[in-house]
Amino acid sequence: MPTYAAPTRDFAFVLHDVLKVDQSDIPGYAELEADFTNAVLEEAGKLASEVLAPLNRVGDQEGCVLENGTVRTPEAFKPAFEQVKAGGWTGLDCDPDYGGQGMPLVLNTAVGEIFVSANMAFNMYWGLTHGAYSTIHAHGTDQQKATYLPKMVSCDWTGTMNLTEPHCGTDLGLMRSKAEPQDDGSYRITGQKIFISAGEHDLAENIIHLVLAKAPGGGEGTKGVSLFIVPKFLVNDDGSLGERNGVSCGALEEKMGIHGNSTCVMNYDGATGYLLGELHKGMSAMFTMMNEARLGVGLQGMSQAEAAYQNAVIYAKDRLQGRAVTGAENPDGPADPLIVHPDVRRSLMDQKSFIEGARAFGLWSATLLDRAHKMDDADAEGLVSLLTPVIKGFCTDKGFESAVLAQQVYGGHGYIEEWGMSQFVRDARIAMIYEGANGVQALDLVGRKLTSDSGKHVMAFFDLVKSFIKENEADAALKEGFLDPLKKASKDLQAAGMYFMQHGMKNPNAALAGSYDFMHLFGHVCLGLMWARMAKAAQDALASGTGDAAFYETKIATGRYYMARHLPATGMHLARIESGADPVMALDAGQF
């Protein structure tokens, strides 16, 4: 059975050596001293390795069962869920006014990676609740917040997001779910939603569904969509649970992965719903949850890669196969371990360099969100909005790719279920699809985010890269291995953006045909920037004297690998983009 250990040393490096969180001016960051963050992450790691990770395969094998309208989760999930709740983990960064601990998002992001790596399907029950909490917190009335948030922070009640319908996924303008106003100010919700994660289960006493539906007078398309709170059980004025609402689970989807999470078809048969936010402006309210979910899904991609990588390293060191071409390295044994072979090293380095770069990328992005929310910083908000489709799309594509590489290390055993590598691959695959398939993320990046505020935010990103290079170009070691490759990659990204400006207006397909490559090009530049920053931090630590020299030397070597072996892909992506739309659109539909 696979194992998992939280990479607490690496978290400490990113948080304190690279991001220097406790020196930041962001409110609440002064509390994030190394001793404190290490203690939190060690406790999260202990829970993850001892409780959650052993249930990962259990959840995959048992799955969820629908019986008489109730979904039964894997048997051991309920006591584990109570243990997570008792530790206060579900409200780590939530508002203290509603029972949360008020910690910064960046710490919750690190803890979230640990829990997702240990058991992705299980984590989703409270991960989605956090998104629903955030949406009500941002758009709800005082009464709605008082009614729902304390129970959602504690996860006595969980939450969901209901967008997709059988006939429409991304194109929510085709939505058919209806909301009819009632005399008491509530709405009667009718329709069907599909692919609803944690839509029905036995872990919480109530489930608070956030449902998109069309109310009268809103017009066609998404402009007519409103957002509603639809609880599984109605809530009485005194906060107690009332009668069962008209919402039920009609079926469970049989999925490729995340079997431990209940993915439901939800039927709304005249259910009572309460308007959340403004009438006919449900999409803007729902984007609060969707954007948070997209960042979380990016984290899922990297987290599954981390879990798979840890086990691949163990296997590569233990499994004896062949001899090193330069001479036996295990002369007393019948063969050398797999890890002596260059191609196995290449695979492991691919995984390691992506994971560590993506971890830094995710934590840095969390600091931008903290700055945006805690300081009303519009520039930080704009930058993280630009980066959101990159985090979601690039990190899940590469996370899945890394999980496959880890599986490959096992050879034939990687294809056998008892070794557990198949589950990491299957679970990672969904992250490329839900919360907006990655092709949609690429279209959003090029079609909306790139030109947002007249390109202000992408220019700010370029300035950030240029400033880092300029500030450190006198460092010869950093310049050769990190700054020069980063400068070239950044120029490729700027050239791609210029191509879109020159050709996209005349032929929109010229931009959209290159959008996926642009998303990956952007992702590589982001990880290149993270590796340059990490290399500088590691060099500074070595120069100041440290008892952990091996860690920092390993970090620099891993970063050099990424800059030498992965960052040059920006040139390939630029060449594809500049080939334009003609190769993509050459065939008529009938020729496929």
Side-chain angles (χ1 to χ4, degrees), residues 2-22:
T3 60
Y4 171 74
T8 51
R9 180 65 186 89
D10 206 56
F11 281 122
F13 169 71
V14 176
L15 291 173
H16 299 289
D17 289 297
V18 181
L19 300 177
K20 301 184 186 300
V21 290
D22 53 333

Side-chain angles (χ1 to χ4, degrees), residues 299-321:
L299 179 77
Q300 286 182 335
M302 183 269 290
S303 299
Q304 291 305 286
E306 168 68 30
Y309 164 74
Q310 288 189 17
N311 288 278
V313 169
I314 293 170
Y315 188 83
K317 290 179 177 180
D318 289 345
R319 176 73 167 175
L320 302 181
Q321 291 283 286

Side-chain angles (χ1 to χ4, degrees), residues 103-165:
M103 291 291 107
L105 174 65
V106 69
L107 183 60
N108 191 60
T109 301
V111 169
E113 181 199 320
I114 292 171
F115 290 154
V116 174
S117 290
N119 196 325
M120 176 172 158
F122 180 71
N123 175 265
M124 290 171 65
Y125 288 102
W126 76 87
L128 288 161
T129 304
H130 191 284
Y133 152 87
S134 296
T135 306
I136 296 174
H137 191 276
H139 302 284
T141 64
D142 289 342
Q143 181 180 358
Q144 287 173 336
K145 288 188 277 191
T147 299
Y148 298 106
L149 295 189
K151 292 287 190 178
M152 296 176 75
V153 168
S154 67
C155 268
D156 291 335
W157 301 352
T158 59
T160 71
M161 174 170 58
N162 286 238
L163 290 80
T164 306
E165 299 186 4

